[in-house]
Amino acid sequence: MVAENIGPHLSLNDSFQISDLKLGVFANNGSGKTFISRAFRLINNNSIENVNKILSINKTKGSFKFNVTNMQDKKTQLSIKLNKDKEAVIIDNTDYIFHVFNSDYIKENIEELKYNPDGKIEGYILGRTKIDLTNEKNKLKELNELDIKKYELFKEEVKKAKGELDKQKINKGTSEYKFTHSSIYNNECNYLERKSYNDLVKLNKNLSQTPDDIENIKQLNYSFNDDYFDRIIKIFKTEYTKSKIAQSFKEKVLSKQSFIKEGIKYLSQNLKEDKATCPFCEQDLRINALNLIEQYNVYLDDSESLVNSEITTLLEYVKEEKKCVEKDESLFLKTKNEFDTLKNYIPSLIDVNLEGLKNNNLDKELDNIIDLLNTKILNIEKEIPLKDYSISFLRMNKYLEVLKANSFNNNKILIDFNDKKDNLKVEKLEVNRKLCKAMYLKIQAEQKNLIEEIRKIRSEKEVLEKEIKIKESKEKTRKKLKVLENLKMHLKSFFGEKYSVDDDFCFKFNKHVLTSNATDVLSDGEKSIVAFCYYLADIHKLVDRNDDYDKIFFIIDDPISSLDFHYVYAVAQVIRDLRETLKLKRTRFIILTHNLEFMSILIRNKIIKFSLVLVNSKLSILSRQLIMPYEEHLRDVYNVVKGKESSHTIPNSIRHILETINKFESPDKELKEYCEDNNILKNNEFIYSLMHDASHGSIRQQMPYNDEMIKKGCTAVIDFVNSKFEGQINQIKD
């Protein structure tokens, strides 16, 4: 059962495996059980008013689904889509006739008519008669046999297909493997698969042949960077001043500036140590050599020399960068070749590729920068024009952006490969699922003609079956007579001779006709029984032929409201006897109730076969322990603490909770004494009077209690229970 935006059920979605469609659902008032019955009632009362009535507050759309799947894997579904201010869109392929009893049914069929039901009932119930249908039935038999023969052929093809899948060693627990001939015939699985079955078989073979010792593919770490770009641009844009040192001397130094700079460093160290010797040849330095060294020092300290040194350093950076680019490209090609070879073992990565740089002219741009640096070092006084280097830097920056993006994406692919290579079970499962989907689609395509033949045969059968039913349906019974007969029977079973109904559907009290005063004579409990009796008789208005009785699905919401115990038990017995009363092959019903004693009677007398509890839009199996009322009283009080509006039953719930714990923990103490011995309860100034005054039926002596006072009392009770039995609070939280 699925409900969305139906009353308090913003999202209800539960299913159960059961052996019989005889369900009981226990739910407290306010839990939304009546909204479930109203959803079923829309089938025959589909008005805008009723749609708006069951939609959740502030919601404009909702839906309700009721699915049943039998042992033969035959699925039936009731689907209702709701839109505010529009009639519901109802799709019902269950073949059930839903008959709903709830407060809305009572109001429309009994209360508004002042408990004198409408006797204007038209129509007949068709029975069967013996006529000669030999030819039609022989033809139907032939069609049945042909249907079985063709469908067996179809089933055999599906069996062969499953055999092919078994050769691929697919785990039978795989959900996609569980397709059946029925699901293929009815096209129940909306599978999409781009690859063909044969292609997937090859992939599966590759996967099974994957070596065990495949090593991880190392990630790509590119070394190209732009840290020195700004320094080069600054050099190009600046016009430097040349020193006054002779040009011939400068050219001589420039040709070997790095060597001279390094030698001067060693010479300076020797001179500091008073060693006037050459550190290379160890000869004594003469005066001319010392003068030359001094000239070198002067030049090296000159600003022009510093600029030339910077340009020389940048030239080395750019030349080194060229080597890195070549090395990175070589590494990428090697990694790509490795990946392209190994990805064939990982089906999900076969169509994945590593991305390199396309139309890469980086070498050309770097060579241009080198040429410009060499030009600058020859004439540092002249600025390099922007147009000569701007395009190169723009292209190199673009290269870096692409390189970073490719590096991230490529490494992500390599990490994915390494993970999947180490966890081939997941990969194999995905291929197995694809194989099953592809086989499903393959069977559908190959057996298309056979499927169409079967559908044509079944269509002919359906037409012929309808003709036979029309010819067989000759006997007629007036619906009005059946309704009246059953209404009299049920009234007698509940009231004896006290209440009855005449042939004009007028109620009688001790043989006195009740016309306009039936509402005044009947008690609230008797009104409920009268309404339920009419509901049971009303069944005959829903059927058109005898076979329809076995399609009836009873939805009964709280039929025992305001009833004395003996009536409660009588209602249970009537429900139990429905099969015999209506001569049904089987009975189907969902009984919803907030009365624990009624639920207990239904369970003890085996009237319901499966019992559920509805709490917070969640259906769960009702255990024997939940039939006791303590937990529900505790939940009601807890809900008030959490903000739910209190009701007149809350003081009684407080008393029930405290008396239960009192009897369990201190049976020798009176409730008042037990409360006064506990600090949590004692510190609430009105909790004792609240449960005493507001849970009894005597004349009130105390002042009225407002919501805030009641909530404080409920909070004290929950704190008290939580301090002693924390697990009970945790259970109702869930």
Side-chain angles (χ1 to χ4, degrees):
M1 185 182 295
V2 180
E4 182 178 353
N5 298 335
I6 301 293
H9 307 301
L10 300 182
S11 179
L12 183 153
N13 189 344
D14 295 297
S15 61
F16 302 92
Q17 186 173 348
I18 59 177
S19 58
D20 200 338
L21 286 172
K22 295 178 182 178
L23 309 179
V25 179
F26 172 76
N28 280 331
N29 282 330
S31 298
K33 58 180 177 58
T34 298
F35 283 90
I36 292 176
S37 68
R38 284 172 174 168
F40 281 107
R41 199 161 184 266
L42 278 175
I43 299 170
N44 298 313
N45 300 76
N46 188 7
S47 67
I48 293 175
E49 179 185 358
N50 289 336
V51 169
N52 292 345
K53 183 188 293 186
I54 72 170
L55 276 171
S56 303
I57 296 174
N58 296 327
K59 299 295 182 180
T60 59
K61 292 184 178 182
S63 63
F64 180 82
K65 291 182 181 179
F66 180 69
N67 300 334
V68 177
T69 304
N70 63 22
M71 295 297 289
Q72 288 74 39
D73 200 32
K74 181 181 179 182
K75 295 182 180 179
T76 60
Q77 183 184 81
L78 167 65
S79 173
I80 302 175
K81 291 185 179 180
L82 308 172
N83 287 281
K84 190 174 182 180
D85 299 327
K86 294 182 180 179
E87 290 187 354
V89 178
I90 301 172
I91 301 174
D92 183 8
N93 64 8
T94 63
D95 201 34
Y96 298 140
I97 299 173
F98 291 99
H99 190 33
V100 182
F101 178 84
N102 60 12
S103 57
D104 296 336
Y105 176 89
I106 296 173
K107 180 180 179 181
E108 293 174 16
N109 293 276
I110 299 295
E111 285 183 356
E112 291 181 354
L113 298 175
K114 296 183 178 180
Y115 289 86
N116 283 295
D118 185 3
K120 296 178 181 179
I121 302 171
E122 303 295 334
Y124 296 87
I125 301 170
L126 304 178
R128 293 178 179 274
T129 186
K130 293 181 180 180
I131 59 176
D132 187 5
L133 296 171
T134 305
N135 293 335
E136 290 86 344
K137 290 188 175 181
N138 285 340
K139 177 62 176 177
L140 184 59
K141 183 180 178 182
E142 290 175 8
L143 289 172
N144 279 327
E145 291 173 351
L146 188 58
D147 182 2
I148 293 170
K149 181 180 178 181
K150 294 285 186 180
Y151 200 75
E152 286 299 320
L153 288 175
F154 175 63
K155 287 167 64 176
E156 188 61 31
E157 292 300 320
V158 176
K159 184 178 179 181
K160 288 179 184 178
K162 281 292 187 79
E164 287 295 319
L165 288 175
D166 292 339
K167 290 178 183 178
Q168 300 301 318
K169 298 180 180 179
I170 293 175
N171 188 331
K172 291 181 172 58
T174 305
S175 59
E176 287 78 5
Y177 177 86
K178 296 178 181 179
F179 67 79
T180 63
H181 49 82
S182 176
S183 61
I184 295 174
Y185 179 82
N186 294 310
N187 194 24
E188 294 172 5
C189 305
N190 295 319
Y191 288 151
L192 294 173
E193 178 51 51
R194 185 170 52 86
K195 294 185 181 297
S196 71
Y197 178 77
N198 291 334
D199 287 342
L200 288 166
V201 168
K202 292 176 184 177
L203 289 179
N204 198 36
K205 184 178 180 181
N206 288 345
L207 189 59
S208 65
Q209 294 174 348
T210 304
D212 296 330
D213 56 351
I214 296 178
E215 294 185 0
N216 283 353
I217 301 178
K218 293 181 180 179
Q219 295 182 43
L220 294 166
N221 295 311
Y222 296 102
S223 54
F224 189 84
N225 66 77
D226 60 349
D227 293 345
Y228 55 87
F229 282 8
D230 289 340
R231 290 165 62 185
I232 293 175
I233 293 171
K234 182 179 179 182
I235 290 287
F236 287 166
K237 293 169 65 175
T238 306
E239 297 177 355
Y240 298 97
T241 303
K242 288 188 176 182
S243 67
K244 296 178 180 180
I245 299 172
Q247 182 64 28
S248 59
F249 181 80
K250 288 190 285 186
E251 290 175 356
K252 180 180 178 181
V253 175
L254 277 173
S255 64
K256 47 187 175 182
Q257 183 167 326
S258 297
F259 173 77
I260 292 172
K261 188 176 181 180
E262 193 67 22
I264 292 298
K265 185 172 70 173
Y266 286 111
L267 284 170
S268 298
Q269 185 64 33
N270 279 354
L271 291 174
K272 285 181 182 179
E273 297 172 359
D274 294 328
K275 296 178 182 179
T277 59
C278 176
F280 302 107
C281 64
E282 298 183 350
Q283 295 183 22
D284 291 337
L285 296 173
R286 300 181 185 276
I287 190 66
N288 290 337
L290 292 172
N291 289 335
L292 181 60
I293 291 169
E294 181 61 25
Q295 283 183 287
Y296 284 150
N297 278 325
V298 170
Y299 174 76
L300 292 175
D301 290 338
D302 186 79
S303 60
E304 181 181 357
S305 171
L306 295 175
V307 172
N308 289 335
S309 177
E310 170 73 351
I311 294 173
T312 302
T313 300
L314 292 173
L315 276 167
E316 292 301 320
Y317 282 165
V318 178
K319 290 175 182 177
E320 186 62 31
E321 203 63 66
K322 283 191 66 176
K323 294 178 183 178
C324 290
V325 169
E326 183 178 347
K327 181 182 175 182
D328 289 344
E329 185 66 18
S330 177
L331 177 61
F332 170 76
L333 292 174
K334 180 182 176 182
T335 303
K336 185 177 186 305
N337 289 335
E338 184 181 7
F339 175 75
D340 288 344
T341 300
L342 296 177
K343 72 179 183 179
N344 292 305
Y345 294 115
I346 311 295
S348 63
L349 295 178
I350 284 179
D351 297 327
V352 176
N353 295 298
L354 298 181
E355 288 293 332
L357 289 173
K358 298 175 181 177
N359 302 321
N360 178 21
N361 293 317
L362 186 62
D363 279 352
K364 177 182 175 182
E365 307 305 336
L366 290 171
D367 284 338
N368 183 46
I369 299 301
I370 290 172
D371 291 342
L372 291 173
L373 285 170
N374 285 325
T375 300
K376 184 69 176 180
I377 204 170
L378 293 176
N379 188 1
I380 64 172
E381 292 180 308
K382 185 178 180 182
E383 177 184 355
I384 302 294
L386 178 65
K387 63 182 179 62
D388 291 349
Y389 62 82
S390 59
I391 293 178
S392 292
F393 278 111
L394 284 172
R395 288 175 178 169
M396 286 192 292
N397 282 325
K398 183 65 177 178
Y399 167 82
L400 274 175
E401 290 176 9
V402 175
L403 188 65
K404 289 176 182 177
N406 285 357
S407 176
F408 176 82
N409 294 330
N410 288 341
N411 285 336
K412 189 176 179 182
I413 291 170
L414 294 177
I415 291 170
D416 190 29
F417 170 84
N418 292 334
D419 289 343
K420 289 182 175 178
K421 177 262 299 181
D422 293 334
N423 191 11
L424 291 178
K425 286 184 179 178
V426 174
E427 193 71 17
K428 187 169 181 62
L429 174 60
E430 183 59 27
V431 173
N432 286 347
R433 294 178 65 192
K434 287 176 172 288
L435 277 166
C436 294
K437 291 179 181 179
M439 179 56 83
Y440 178 96
L441 297 171
K442 183 171 179 282
I443 299 169
Q444 271 194 333
E446 292 178 349
Q447 304 304 317
K448 180 180 178 181
N449 291 337
L450 181 57
I451 291 172
E452 289 302 319
E453 283 184 51
I454 296 170
R455 285 179 177 157
K456 184 178 179 181
I457 292 168
R458 292 184 175 180
S459 177
E460 290 181 34
K461 280 172 55 180
E462 185 179 353
V463 171
L464 187 55
E465 285 170 347
K466 287 181 179 178
E467 290 178 1
I468 292 173
K469 286 180 180 179
I470 291 172
K471 291 178 181 179
E472 285 181 334
S473 302
K474 192 174 180 180
E475 286 188 359
K476 297 180 181 179
T477 303
R478 289 185 66 190
K479 290 184 177 182
K480 179 177 180 178
L481 295 178
K482 293 291 289 184
V483 172
L484 187 61
E485 175 187 338
N486 277 262
L487 180 57
K488 289 180 178 181
M489 176 188 69
H490 289 304
L491 287 172
K492 187 171 184 178
S493 68
F494 279 104
F495 299 117
E497 300 299 327
K498 182 178 180 182
Y499 292 109
S500 60
V501 65
D502 64 19
D503 292 346
D504 294 321
F505 286 85
C506 291
F507 275 97
K508 295 191 291 185
F509 171 64
N510 290 334
K511 299 183 180 180
H512 297 287
V513 176
L514 302 175
T515 52
S516 61
N517 60 339
T519 303
D520 301 324
V521 174
L522 295 166
S523 69
D524 288 342
E526 289 172 337
K527 289 175 182 177
S528 295
I529 290 295
V530 167
F532 191 62
C533 288
Y534 186 72
Y535 164 78
L536 296 174
D538 199 24
I539 294 167
H540 304 287
K541 290 165 61 176
L542 303 178
V543 300
D544 293 318
R545 55 179 301 120
N546 282 337
D547 293 346
D548 290 342
Y549 285 105
D550 285 312
K551 299 177 182 179
I552 293 176
F553 200 127
F554 299 91
I555 309 294
I556 303 173
D557 177 22
D558 261 339
I560 45 80
S561 179
S562 304
L563 297 186
D564 295 336
F565 178 76
H566 70 280
Y567 281 139
V568 172
Y569 194 85
V571 168
Q573 299 308 307
V574 167
I575 295 173
R576 183 189 64 183
D577 296 338
L578 279 174
R579 181 176 179 182
E580 181 180 346
T581 304
L582 296 172
K583 303 294 188 293
L584 305 176
K585 294 178 181 178
R586 64 182 64 84
T587 49
R588 308 176 191 86
F589 51 71
I590 298 175
I591 301 174
L592 305 112
T593 182
H594 73 283
N595 188 299
L596 279 169
E597 185 57 40
F598 182 54
M599 192 71 176
S600 177
I601 291 172
L602 295 174
I603 293 172
R604 290 198 305 268
N605 288 274
K606 298 181 180 180
I607 296 170
I608 58 176
K609 301 297 183 182
F610 199 73
S611 50
L612 301 171
V613 59
L614 175 62
V615 178
N616 296 330
S617 295
K618 175 69 178 174
L619 285 168
S620 53
I621 296 173
L622 176 66
S623 64
R624 292 275 179 176
Q625 291 79 5
L626 286 178
I627 299 174
M628 299 302 292
Y630 171 80
E631 182 175 348
E632 298 308 317
H633 283 300
L634 187 61
R635 181 176 282 106
D636 286 348
V637 173
Y638 180 80
N639 287 339
V640 171
V641 174
K642 291 301 178 182
K644 184 176 179 180
E645 185 177 351
S646 63
S647 69
H648 65 282
T649 64
I650 293 300
N652 190 58
S653 293
I654 291 175
R655 185 178 190 90
H656 182 99
I657 294 166
L658 295 180
E659 282 183 340
T660 301
I661 298 176
N662 177 196
K663 291 176 183 178
F664 172 75
E665 197 172 44
S666 302
D668 57 325
K669 292 183 180 180
E670 292 293 328
L671 180 59
K672 183 176 182 180
E673 180 185 0
Y674 179 77
C675 292
E676 289 174 349
D677 286 345
N678 184 274
N679 288 333
I680 296 175
L681 300 177
K682 181 174 67 175
N683 290 336
N684 188 284
E685 66 273 17
F686 56 87
I687 187 171
Y688 184 75
S689 60
L690 169 68
M691 68 178 179
H692 213 66
D693 183 46
S695 67
H696 286 188
S698 59
I699 297 175
R700 303 266 314 268
Q701 300 298 324
Q702 302 293 330
M703 62 179 288
Y705 295 95
N706 59 38
D707 288 341
E708 183 179 355
M709 297 166 67
I710 293 174
K711 185 173 182 179
K712 285 182 178 179
C714 291
T715 302
V717 171
I718 295 301
D719 290 344
F720 164 70
V721 176
N722 198 43
S723 68
K724 290 179 171 290
F725 311 105
E726 184 180 359
Q728 293 184 9
I729 303 300
N730 291 336
Q731 183 175 349
I732 62 174
K733 283 180 182 178
D734 297 336

